[in-house]
Amino acid sequence: PRDWSSDVCSSDLDTRLLLDVASRPYEPNLVLAGCEESDRRARSFPVLADRTLRDGWAAAYLCERYVCQAPITSSADLLEALT
């Protein structure tokens, strides 16, 4: 299964674009997780523990079989990675 996490407020435009792309295709085993950068409680979950912004932008972390690709900040790149 794949899991994906984003690490910024959901009201930020770059986060909304990444979430839109990630939720567009139907992926029965896709797990979406996210939190605000300052949310220490959410960061206690292992899937979010080391997820950070990249140069101030929301980052998508696409993982499969417990191996993650490099962080993705572009919605176009995320769409390509998911297809």
Side-chain angles (χ1 to χ4, degrees), residues 8-37:
V8 289
C9 291
S10 60
S11 61
D12 292 336
L13 179 59
D14 52 322
T15 302
R16 285 185 289 175
L17 289 172
L18 291 173
L19 286 171
D20 181 52
V21 168
S23 61
R24 194 175 304 161
Y26 175 69
E27 286 268 354
N29 295 320
L30 184 70
V31 176
L32 296 174
C35 70
E36 292 186 27
E37 191 166 22

Side-chain angles (χ1 to χ4, degrees), residues 43-58:
R43 293 204 166 278
S44 67
F45 294 102
V47 72
L48 297 173
D50 61 350
R51 307 301 198 227
T52 60
L53 298 171
R54 294 294 179 206
D55 298 321
W57 294 96

Side-chain angles (χ1 to χ4, degrees), residues 1-8 29-36 39-54 59-69 71:
R2 293 179 175 181
D3 68 316
W4 180 87
S5 67
S6 173
D7 182 20
V8 289
N29 295 320
L30 184 70
V31 176
L32 296 174
C35 70
E36 292 186 27
D39 190 344
R40 292 178 188 256
R41 194 169 112 183
R43 293 204 166 278
S44 67
F45 294 102
V47 72
L48 297 173
D50 61 350
R51 307 301 198 227
T52 60
L53 298 171
R54 294 294 179 206
Y61 295 82
L62 186 62
C63 308
E64 196 165 11
R65 295 185 184 107
Y66 306 104
V67 177
C68 297
Q69 297 177 17

